[in-house]
Amino acid sequence: MNFILSIWRQASPEAKGKMVKYKMSNVSEETSLLEMLDMLNEKLTLKDEEPVAFDSDCREGICGSCSLVVNGRAHGPGKLTTSCQVFMRSFTDGQTIHLEPYRSAALPVIKDLVVDRTSLDRIIQSGGYISAHSGPKPEPNSVPIGYDELEESMDAAACIGCGACAAACPNGSAMLFTAAKIGHLGLLPQGQPERSSRAKAMVQQMDDEGFGACTNYAECQDACPKGISIKFIGRMNKDFAKAMLCDELDPRGSMDAN
Amino acid sequence: MNKLTQFYGTAVGKKFVVAVTGIMMAGFLVMHMIGNLKAFAGATKLDAYALYLRDIGQDMFGHETVLWIARIGLVVAVVAHIFTIVLLVKQNHKARPVKYHVKKSFVSTFPARMMRVSGLLLLIFIIVHIAQFTFGEWLSTPFEEGKVYSNISHAFGSGWLPWFYVFMMFIVCIHLCHGLWSFFQTLGIDNPDRNKLLRGLAIVVSLVLFIGFSAVPVAFATGLIGVAK
Amino acid sequence: MELDSKIPNVPIQEAWRAHIDSINLVGPKNRPKYDIVVVGSGLAGASAAASLGAMGYNVKLFCFQDSPRRAHSIAAQGGINASKNYRNDGDSTWRLFYDTQKGGDFRGREANVYRLAETSTQIIDQCVAQGVPLAREYGGNLANRSFGGVLVERTFYARGQTGQQLLLGAYQALEEQVALGKVKQYPRTEMHDIVKIDGRCRGIVVRDLMTGEIQTHAADAVVLATGGYSNVYHRSTNAVNCNVTAAWRAHKQGSLFANPCFVQIHPTCIPVHGDNQSKLTLMSESLRNDGRIWVPRKKGDDRRPRDIPEEERYYYLEERYPSFGNLVPRDVASRAAKKVCDEGYGLGETGFGVYLDFRDAIAKHGKDVIEAKYGNLFDMYKDITDDDPYETPFKIYPAPHYTMGGLWVDYNLMTNVPGLYAIGEANFSDHGANRLGASSLMQCLADGYFILPQTIGDYLRDIYQQKIEEDHPEFAKHAEAVDEKIDALMNIKGSRTPLSFQKELGDIMWNYCGMSRNAEDLKKELELIPALRKEFWSELKVAGTKDSFNQSLERAGRVADFLEFAELMCKDALERDESCGCHLREEHVHEDGEAKRDDEKFSYVAAWEWMGENVAHQLHTEQLDHQALKPTTRSYK
């Protein structure tokens, strides 16, 4: 198969970028999109041109490193997939394939197709954990967790932190990412003590990082390689509102006697 | 107060305000539509209803007090709705400083993508509408305070105005298709069990509003109900 | 050199407790005075950094990925072992110890393995407390599945994403410590060297992958949790960026490399399809619970698998190993697949593939049950191959997966270089010559959560008040050497890319030091590798510049190390003139083709010492003590 690639090239975070066209020929259809980029980079290196920088690691759809926007779609054609699991058979021969980095103020471009996703780490740092320092812990079966409850939590926990939700969202919002973590931990009995503080801190951090707001387009859900549902966004909103409006500000305070 | 400003300071808090003010306005629209339909019962009934609105709670609070409370509440909702959306739109613009070369949407619905456009059109419409029927003489139609039936029959009796109204009601319908469901989603009331129901409900209510609101101008324009003598 | 494993001289059941009771500890008030560097953010690195941070130490965590959460532990699908005996099927610490030792073909260190088995149950407790959503039964209790090489059900799992969920648990604990200021994380930063001062490891040299800046970080102890070296084969189940660099550069500073030839070839991977393929995708071993492995009895049978009748199918594992059947250990399953393919029964054009068939399981349990258990694996296979495994069997073939060899460590997990620790896959200690499924997650977390945090104090107490800062001249010296090496790579300006060398090396390794080895091949390979290395240093072409984000340079550095390491691996394979676990020497097999150990001569850990460039490695041996379990011939028949 033959393709024309139109790829975003940007030398550094400060540099101005542009789309550059490359021709690829004789690509077999079972080649993956990233393997084709490998091939392109081999060619570019031998021609003394700068290879295209892009993130990838496990190449089996689980690490969340790969982060391309292919023909306007985060992670490319197909559902429940990552950029590394896109194979050339899903394109037509002779097609022009546009490759762009994620676009979000909170995910700035480092080089070419590589973006900085430390903002997602900082959202987790703000409260996406259960404090449980290592050491002997109680027997897990002493707190039974219903099958459905656990599985729903697992649905949210499946998030690979790739950031496709923010890339696909017309508002550049990372609500689905944040909601998935709040949902995962908030659905488990172990996550209850920190449930309110977690929701408050993570929602606040998401705004501070410069992500956009939610307009209920559901583009994030469609782009999510793990199919995480926007129902978790509703859940997060509810948890957040409850934490902000219903929880007492000073639950341990005292009251005047007269 | 501190709690509220903190809440409003976040994107999620703002979304709540948009959702709650939105549903207030939608509730008003339903009442408004039911009132409008009294036009089919004739001039006397409609004018009496208009008077009744001014008299609600009169014995306890005095003339037009309740009406003014409702009016102020509504204005506050409209202003809060619009103001908050302006803030959110600004935030969203800032969140994507560089646009995609290939811009596509995959699952978002047409009404969802149209929210900002439809909202802006509605704002213009509301100004026109209030200028015309509350403050009176505009678009050179004869206007007389309290004579509701006569006023609207003059306005809708002929020309392009009734069809402008019908078009605008269609915009209302589009706005609400997404807006009503969004209310449930934003507040976390929607869930997979009732998603179809709530999505459907939003569309049905929007359509009912469209038909109900359009019925009066269409009826006058087509002569189905008569022009007041 | 005397290799002191520091294992207390008591029965293995009491060793760990006795050891902890006898070593030095650092008190909570003094811990903030110590700086610890952790390199690698997988299960071992993240759990160690989080635990050490929570204890009060100042921790710096380095990883080359853009976030610690992306380390390759994330890809482990099947599960994690723990001898909870929830199934009441006779499991115990002893049984897990026994299975692991036997699975490792008696080349593991008994005391380490027993400690691992002891710790296993605590890991599950810890992870559940952290919110790892391990699968539950309808009654709300934890669920188990079975894995290869054992007769009990002791594997805990979170769908097909166990590694991911466990890593996220550790990552979240780590991020909490980052938020508390106890851990500072350095993503997109690659370690290039360790710094030794007065014989002790006192810090590292790193390269910031975004700017190319060379930095030095002083520390009181350095922990390497940098994973395995399967990518020496180029195509493996490892992530494409996994490498041996950190371990190898520590080795060149004096740290011994143990058993490098022990590489596990995983039996259930998607076969190679073409030359440009960048990696091999593993399908979880758990598929062997319900899937049946077979090839057509007629060579070159090109009928669709569904059309081949039962009597013409050769269920070679079930026929040869009736008691374990499709659940034999990985090395046995891999070699059996290689054997039938070498005999000409392999599938398709390449002849390298066997069927893994769910037809009978779907007929027996129904599609729904199979989908609930393996749905995501079936989908993943379909995405990659465009074949639907509900309709047609999986095609699988073995691929390099896990490396049992690694840096030599003592019972404290410290290498022979004082102050340098190695944990997780980066060390050698627990899996002998073959690792059982669902045991690597267990080992990484045992090391990171429970063992290292307790043993590291023994060394730290020892170096109290000998603070060394980055301004010590050794740091500048090492940084300069790293910079020179990078310049050397950049300045070759030849005509071949780093990837082309990695591919060529991978092919050599797979052909001559792969699933089965012989002296003749290994000797030939020991000529090929230095030749390739020579070509590398004269013909390499690295794109870009050294002071920018440069993935070509990153790969070049890693390939340079693989080219040196590969030679040691072959040397070790040649020296170990016996078959054991996954190391099969064709000269040493039983009549039925099974591995034939030589306990008289080779019941030891081969620990290799770097003697300098172009000088032969020196072998040191640590005799294995089989006080608890006498080695027997491994049989899964």
Side-chain angles (χ1 to χ4, degrees), chain A residues 218-241:
Chain A
E219 292 287 354
C220 53
Q221 169 179 294
D222 188 55
C224 177
K226 298 295 151 188
I228 294 169
S229 166
I230 52 167
K231 74 177 177 183
F232 290 110
I233 297 181
R235 229 189 111 83
M236 168 178 77
N237 292 352
K238 207 159 58 176
D239 272 11
F240 178 71

Side-chain angles (χ1 to χ4, degrees), chain C residues 488-489 492-496 501 504-505 508 525-541 559-564 567 613-614:
Chain C
L489 289 167
I492 301 170
K493 298 201 162 85
S495 57
R496 285 188 62 181
F501 282 104
E504 189 174 339
L505 174 67
I508 295 176
E525 189 176 6
L526 283 171
E527 289 166 15
L528 290 173
I529 292 171
L532 184 63
R533 195 164 60 226
K534 207 172 149 210
E535 192 184 343
F536 177 87
W537 284 102
S538 61
E539 285 304 317
L540 180 74
K541 185 185 186 99
V559 175
D561 291 326
F562 275 132
L563 280 164
E564 293 175 3
E567 193 177 340
E613 305 280 351
N614 301 318

Side-chain angles (χ1 to χ4, degrees), chain A residues 106-120:
Chain A
L107 307 171
V109 173
I110 294 173
K111 185 178 180 180
D112 298 340
L113 303 173
V114 175
V115 295
D116 178 356
R117 283 174 287 192
T118 48
S119 52
L120 300 180

Side-chain angles (χ1 to χ4, degrees), chain C residues 18 21 28 39 43 143 150 168 214 218 233 253 255 291 342 374 386 404 455 485 547 551 560 573 581 598 626 636:
Chain C
D21 289 346
V39 185
L43 278 178
V150 300
L168 291 183
I214 306 291
Y233 292 97
Q253 295 282 353
S255 177
D342 288 349
Y374 308 110
D386 216 15
M404 283 71 68
T455 59
K485 178 150 190 185
D547 50 4
Q551 292 169 319
D598 184 348
H626 298 290
Y636 292 95

Side-chain angles (χ1 to χ4, degrees), chain C residues 330-399:
Chain C
R330 291 175 174 174
D331 56 333
V332 178
S334 292
R335 276 199 296 274
K338 178 177 158 58
K339 189 159 178 278
V340 292
C341 291
D342 288 349
E343 285 164 3
Y345 294 100
L347 306 174
E349 282 170 24
T350 59
F352 295 114
V354 299
Y355 289 127
L356 171 66
D357 199 345
F358 275 76
R359 183 193 63 176
D360 298 346
I362 290 172
K364 189 174 164 200
H365 303 294
K367 196 179 161 185
D368 293 349
V369 173
I370 297 300
E371 195 178 344
K373 260 178 153 170
Y374 308 110
N376 67 318
L377 298 171
F378 278 53
D379 295 344
M380 185 169 153
Y381 182 81
K382 189 167 185 242
D383 283 345
I384 295 173
T385 63
D386 216 15
D387 278 341
D388 182 2
Y390 292 107
E391 301 298 327
T392 181
F394 288 93
K395 266 187 221 161
I396 55 163
Y397 197 68

Side-chain angles (χ1 to χ4, degrees), chain A residues 100 103 105 167 169 207 213-214 219, chain B residues 11 92 95-96 100-101 106 108:
Chain A
E100 295 177 72
R103 295 294 187 197
C169 176
D207 282 354
C214 180
E219 292 287 354
Chain B
N92 296 345
R96 173 145 307 141
Y100 287 112
H101 273 252
F106 297 89
S108 52

Side-chain angles (χ1 to χ4, degrees), chain C residues 225-242:
Chain C
T226 49
Y229 47 82
S230 291
N231 275 351
V232 70
Y233 292 97
H234 172 50
R235 271 190 290 255
S236 77
T237 65
N238 283 12
V240 291
N241 297 315
C242 289

Side-chain angles (χ1 to χ4, degrees), chain C residues 253-289:
Chain C
Q253 295 282 353
S255 177
L256 302 180
F257 213 111
N259 297 338
C261 78
F262 288 166
V263 175
Q264 180 173 72
I265 313 289
H266 196 288
T268 51
C269 302
I270 300 175
V272 177
H273 60 68
D275 193 42
N276 290 314
Q277 193 169 343
S278 54
K279 80 156 285 170
L280 295 168
T281 302
L282 179 144
M283 303 307 299
S284 168
E285 174 170 357
S286 62
L287 290 171
R288 288 199 278 145
N289 270 319

